[in-house]
Amino acid sequence: MDARFARMLCVLCLVLTVRAFTQEGFKEVLLKQLGLSEVPKLHKRDLVDLVIPDHVKSKYISMLKRQRVKRRALPSLAGILRGIPGNAGEVLYSDTTTRQNLIFDMEGRIPKNSEVTMAELKLFKKPLDRANLPARQPHRPVSNARVSVYWVQRHHDGTNRTSLIDSRLVPIRESGWKNFDVTQAVHYWLRNKRREPMFLEVWIEGERVGSHASEMAKAVRFTSQDPKDKAVGKPELVLYTLDLEDYGGPGDCKEEAVMGKSTCCRQKHYVNFRELSWTQYWIIEPAGYQAYQCSGGCLQPPSPLRRFSYGERSCAVVETSPLPMMYLVKRGNRTEIEAAEFPNMIVEKCSCVADG
C-alpha cells in the first residue's frame, strides 16, 4: 500500500498544475491512476498512540529546510511580539516530554499589502541548574535535548491539532537565545483568517530514545510568558515583511488576474489537507501548502506562423519545486509514518508555451 500512497502524492502535483482543484475531480483522477474503486480508508484511530520516530522527524525537518523558499532581500522588521498580557504560557511536564504553551496576539500586527517573508521565535534558555541533572549513568554521554516547535490549530469542538514547524538539538549546558524558523506557522495563521491569537507549543525531548536522555532533557528550561517568571528574556516572535508595492513578486498575479484580464502569471492556490476528509488523517505534515497555479492569457502568434503549424500559446507551468511530507503507511495491522520529498508539487514559474 505504501507504493500506492507515493504514487498518489505524485499524481497530486499533476492535477494541481494542470487544472483547477476540485475535490471530486481530484478523486476521479487519483482513482483512475491507481486502478482503485475507492480511496484507501484511513481513520482518526490510526493516529492514536502513534509516535513520530526521531529519524523520521529529523529527515522531514531537513527536507523542509532545504525546500524553504529563499528569503527575498531587504525585508523590513514588522514587529517583535512578546505575548498577550494576562495569558500565562503553561509549562507541562510528563515522563518523556516538557511542553511549553505560547500565545501571541497577531491581529493588526502585519502591515496591509505586505508579505511575511520570515518569522523567528526567540526563546531564552535559562542557565543550567545542576540540581536538575540526574545522577551520572554508565551510558554514552547526553549533551543535547531536542526542541521542537509546533503550531496549534484549535477547533471549534475544543480539540487541538498540531503541525511540526521546526526542530533542532539544543546543548543542555549552554544558556542564551535560541532561534527557530516559524514562518510556516505564521502563514498557517494567515490562511485560517480567524480573529484569534496564534498558539505555539514548544516540546523538549531527549535527543535519543531512552530514559536517561529524557531525564537529561528535563534540565532544559526556557523563560516562559508567565508574569510570575522573573527570569530575563521573555519569548519573542519576530516578524519580517516585504512591502508588495515596492517588491511585488515578478510573475505573480495582481488583482486583475483573478478576473481573467491579465497576461500569464502565477496565482495563489492554497491546498488545505486538514479540510479534505480523505487526507486529514493520512497526511501528517504539512497541514496544507501554497501550491499556486497558472492563470491568464497569452499573446497569440501572427497568422503566417499558424500556417506552419505553430500552435496557439497558452499559460502553463514551466518550473516547479518539491514538497516534503510526512504521511501514514499501513503495513498489515501496523500503521507507520514515513517522510518523503515529492517533486513538482509547488508551481514556481508560469510562462506562455506554444503547442507544436
Side-chain angles (χ1 to χ4, degrees):
M1 185 62 74
D2 53 329
R4 286 185 171 180
F5 282 148
R7 288 171 57 200
M8 184 180 288
L9 284 172
C10 287
V11 172
L12 172 65
C13 68
L14 298 176
V15 178
L16 292 177
T17 57
V18 172
R19 61 177 180 165
F21 179 90
T22 64
Q23 185 169 349
E24 288 306 314
F26 194 16
K27 279 186 181 179
E28 281 180 28
V29 173
L30 290 178
L31 294 176
K32 185 177 179 180
Q33 290 282 341
L34 299 173
L36 299 175
S37 59
E38 60 181 10
V39 174
K41 289 181 170 58
L42 287 161
H43 305 282
K44 191 174 182 178
R45 62 175 175 269
D46 291 312
L47 295 173
V48 176
D49 297 327
L50 197 65
V51 178
I52 301 175
D54 285 342
H55 73 279
V56 175
K57 184 187 292 186
S58 297
K59 181 181 178 182
Y60 175 74
I61 287 294
S62 296
M63 291 187 297
L64 196 64
K65 287 179 177 177
R66 283 201 311 269
Q67 173 266 348
R68 278 174 179 153
V69 178
K70 293 179 181 178
R71 310 302 183 208
R72 283 180 285 183
L74 303 176
S76 61
L77 184 64
I80 299 176
L81 314 186
R82 292 191 174 86
I84 301 175
N87 284 277
E90 295 178 290
V91 181
L92 308 173
Y93 301 95
S94 69
D95 291 341
T96 58
T97 310
T98 300
R99 298 190 186 187
Q100 183 170 335
N101 295 327
L102 301 175
I103 309 171
F104 294 97
D105 183 10
M106 303 284 288
E107 191 68 28
R109 301 301 182 96
I110 300 173
K112 291 183 179 180
N113 198 32
S114 67
E115 177 184 323
V116 176
T117 59
M118 186 166 64
E120 284 185 317
L121 175 65
K122 299 181 66 175
L123 300 175
F124 188 83
K125 185 180 176 300
K126 298 178 181 181
L128 178 66
D129 183 354
R130 296 187 178 276
N132 292 329
L133 287 176
R136 287 183 175 271
Q137 298 287 332
H139 302 288
R140 57 190 175 113
V142 175
S143 304
N144 304 299
R146 175 160 293 281
V147 180
S148 304
V149 180
Y150 291 81
W151 171 66
V152 182
Q153 184 180 15
R154 297 197 169 186
H155 297 295
H156 295 298
D157 62 1
T159 60
N160 295 338
R161 181 117 186 230
T162 60
S163 294
L164 178 63
I165 300 300
D166 199 3
S167 181
R168 56 174 290 199
L169 293 176
V170 171
I172 293 174
R173 289 175 170 80
E174 289 183 9
S175 63
W177 289 102
K178 308 298 176 186
N179 295 354
F180 298 85
D181 186 341
V182 294
T183 311
Q184 191 179 25
V186 176
H187 289 169
Y188 286 160
W189 181 86
L190 288 169
R191 284 298 309 176
N192 269 7
K193 295 180 180 178
R194 292 184 183 175
R195 294 183 177 275
E196 64 177 21
M198 187 172 77
F199 301 95
L200 299 175
E201 271 188 4
V202 178
W203 293 20
I204 306 170
E205 305 165 279
E207 68 172 314
R208 59 175 182 262
V209 177
S211 59
H212 182 58
S214 295
E215 288 300 315
M216 289 291 290
K218 290 179 182 178
V220 173
R221 297 283 192 273
F222 292 108
T223 304
S224 72
Q225 291 178 329
D226 191 337
K228 296 176 183 177
D229 188 344
K230 301 302 181 182
V232 297
K234 293 292 185 184
E236 296 180 357
L237 180 64
V238 184
L239 302 178
Y240 297 88
T241 61
L242 213 58
D243 188 337
L244 294 180
E245 285 292 329
D246 299 325
Y247 294 97
D252 284 353
C253 297
K254 299 191 183 298
E255 194 65 36
E256 61 269 20
V258 180
M259 307 304 294
K261 298 177 183 178
S262 172
T263 54
C264 182
C265 58
R266 188 181 72 154
Q267 184 177 327
K268 287 184 177 180
H269 181 73
Y270 190 81
V271 177
N272 191 333
F273 293 134
R274 299 286 164 81
E275 289 183 354
L276 298 176
S277 58
W278 50 278
T279 61
Q280 61 178 320
Y281 302 128
W282 163 45
I283 298 175
I284 306 299
E285 304 288 351
Y289 78 106
Q290 190 64 256
Y292 295 101
Q293 61 187 14
C294 295
S295 177
C298 295
L299 215 62
Q300 297 305 319
S303 54
L305 283 177
R306 297 187 193 182
R307 286 203 295 269
F308 293 100
S309 300
Y310 192 90
E312 288 194 359
R313 299 167 79 236
S314 57
C315 188
V317 179
V318 294
E319 188 178 321
T320 62
S321 62
L323 178 72
M325 287 189 185
M326 279 199 293
Y327 55 96
L328 290 182
V329 174
K330 297 200 81 168
R331 293 190 173 92
N333 294 326
R334 291 184 299 124
T335 303
E336 298 178 358
I337 298 176
E338 288 192 355
E341 195 172 58
F342 294 90
N344 307 319
M345 296 288 280
I346 303 169
V347 176
E348 293 293 348
K349 188 176 181 182
C350 301
S351 185
C352 290
V353 177
D355 294 335

